[in-house]
Amino acid sequence: MSVSRARVARRIAAAAAYGGGGIGLLGGAAVGVLLAEVRWARRSVGWSDDEPPRADGCYGAPFALRSGHRPLRLGFLGDSTAAGQGVFRASQTPGAILASGLAAVAERPVELRNVARSGAQSDDLERQVTRVLDDGAVPDVCVIMIGANDVTHRMPPARSVRLLSDAVRRLRAARCEVVVGTCPDLGTIEPVPQPLRWVARRLSRQLAAAQTIGVVEQGGRTVSLGALLGPEFEANPRELFGPDNYHPSADGYATASMAVLPTLCAALGLWPEERLDVTRREGILPVAEAAAQAAAEGGTEVAAAPAGQRGPWALLKRRRRRVPDEAGAAGAAGAAEAGEAGEAGEAAGNPGAREDTAPGAGRDGRRVIR
């Protein structure tokens, strides 16, 4: 199965690299059935037009007094998942959770700038990259979460991967580290019936594997979210899906964020490098094989192989979803636990600190931990 998935992913990535069109993965006879089920699923899956809460701002500001360094700059790009659609508090969005966790691990403040847009497909990444690079200060690291809308809107996978690769290339050229959370497993959406659920799972995993190849070849890192969230979301849909039965709940975003945090820290050299664990099937593999394995097992990181390796090789690590100490754990969870802006409470990783609003916080949701 992984060999077949690797072959498909490589074909999609090759078509993306050389300007090819889409690759047909379904027979014409199945299209009619699937379109009918798509229409039914759209009526069954709820949707919210509410704007996601804005979480831009500074996290872990008290660390500035200890470190003497400027804040780390974290950019967030992508679709409604990156924006935090489905929750009502800025502290529950993945950007806020990761900014808080990164601040605790780095013991430095983190400035979060989120330019993600609900409903975005990969063709919106060019605009988002321009915004985040023209903001006056290039981010130290950017997180991209994209792909679900490409699948549901039937964007040719080769075009989807090409657009993502172009975005990663521009960010890396600007000396920005890049971490991509690959396409989620759409087969976990509860109201979607079979065989559409099976097809959605297959297409989203194939796209996730192809995204991994494209991102790694441009010098970025990926974290597989689909298979990680898949079993957990299927087992606990009421807890991990939000009110619309499509976007994650606060717990769901926290689960995804904890999978991304170790790779985010590793990209900045903040995570202790561990020896490859052969018992966990970690190692240096052909990039297509690493991508296929990652698509099948969530929380798996794929990055470029160390210098000196010949050919298209990649480093595959199954990072544990943990932080190195209690302060890090408090920081990673702090954004989800903190109260609404303006409430006093324990700031992430800073016992006794107070979380207040910046000027205008009541209007735009900007959050500053003082």
Side-chain angles (χ1 to χ4, degrees), residues 21-305:
I23 297 176
L25 300 176
L26 297 175
V31 173
V33 174
L34 294 178
L35 289 179
E37 290 198 348
V38 166
R39 288 192 291 270
W40 183 89
R42 284 175 177 169
R43 291 194 298 269
S44 301
V45 175
W47 190 262
S48 171
D49 292 325
D50 294 337
E51 285 293 319
R54 290 185 61 184
D56 290 19
C58 183
Y59 293 77
F63 286 121
L65 300 176
R66 307 180 195 176
S67 67
H69 297 293
R70 68 161 177 81
L72 290 170
R73 303 184 187 104
L74 170 62
F76 238 79
L77 304 85
D79 54 22
S80 56
T81 301
Q85 185 81 35
V87 296
F88 304 103
R89 298 166 63 178
S91 60
Q92 297 170 332
T93 63
I97 297 170
L98 284 172
S100 188
L102 180 59
V105 174
E107 296 188 346
R108 287 174 63 179
V110 174
E111 283 280 357
L112 172 65
R113 171 79 165 123
N114 195 324
V115 298
R117 183 178 65 83
S118 293
Q121 300 176 50
S122 291
D123 55 9
D124 193 51
L125 287 177
E126 181 179 7
R127 180 192 65 85
Q128 294 184 28
V129 171
T130 298
R131 284 190 65 191
V132 83
L133 292 182
D134 289 350
D135 200 33
V138 174
D140 296 287
V141 62
C142 281
V143 174
I144 303 175
M145 295 180 177
I146 200 81
N149 294 320
D150 294 2
V151 174
T152 59
H153 289 77
R154 301 173 67 188
M155 177 182 286
R159 180 167 182 252
S160 174
V161 173
R162 182 166 58 250
L163 291 165
L164 175 59
S165 298
D166 289 345
V168 176
R169 183 186 305 115
R170 287 182 63 193
L171 291 169
R172 294 293 294 132
R175 298 180 180 273
C176 175
E177 299 292 338
V178 181
V179 175
V180 174
T182 54
C183 182
D185 186 350
L186 298 178
T188 62
I189 301 173
E190 194 178 31
V192 176
Q194 295 288 12
L196 181 59
R197 181 180 293 201
W198 178 85
V199 172
R201 169 162 291 156
R202 181 183 180 193
L203 294 182
S204 54
R205 288 192 178 186
Q206 287 176 342
L207 178 58
Q211 286 177 321
T212 297
I213 297 173
V215 169
V216 170
E217 289 179 344
Q218 297 304 323
R221 301 173 185 236
T222 64
V223 181
S224 171
L225 299 181
L228 166 74
L229 299 181
E232 296 184 19
F233 272 52
E234 284 184 320
N236 301 289
R238 296 292 182 264
E239 290 76 24
L240 298 181
F241 278 118
D244 61 6
N245 290 326
Y246 185 82
H247 292 99
S249 65
D251 287 344
Y253 280 128
T255 299
S257 298
M258 289 303 96
V260 175
L261 180 60
T263 299
L264 180 63
C265 294
L268 294 171
L270 301 172
W271 203 256
E273 286 300 326
E274 301 171 342
R275 297 181 62 181
L276 295 177
D277 188 344
V278 294
T279 65
R280 303 176 69 203
R281 294 176 293 117
E282 296 182 339
I284 297 175
L285 304 171
V287 64
E289 178 61 26
Q293 288 195 28
E297 183 174 343
T300 303
E301 175 189 320
V302 181

Side-chain angles (χ1 to χ4, degrees), residues 5-18:
R5 191 181 297 116
R7 187 179 300 117
V8 172
R10 170 51 72 188
R11 287 172 55 207
I12 295 172
Y18 295 105

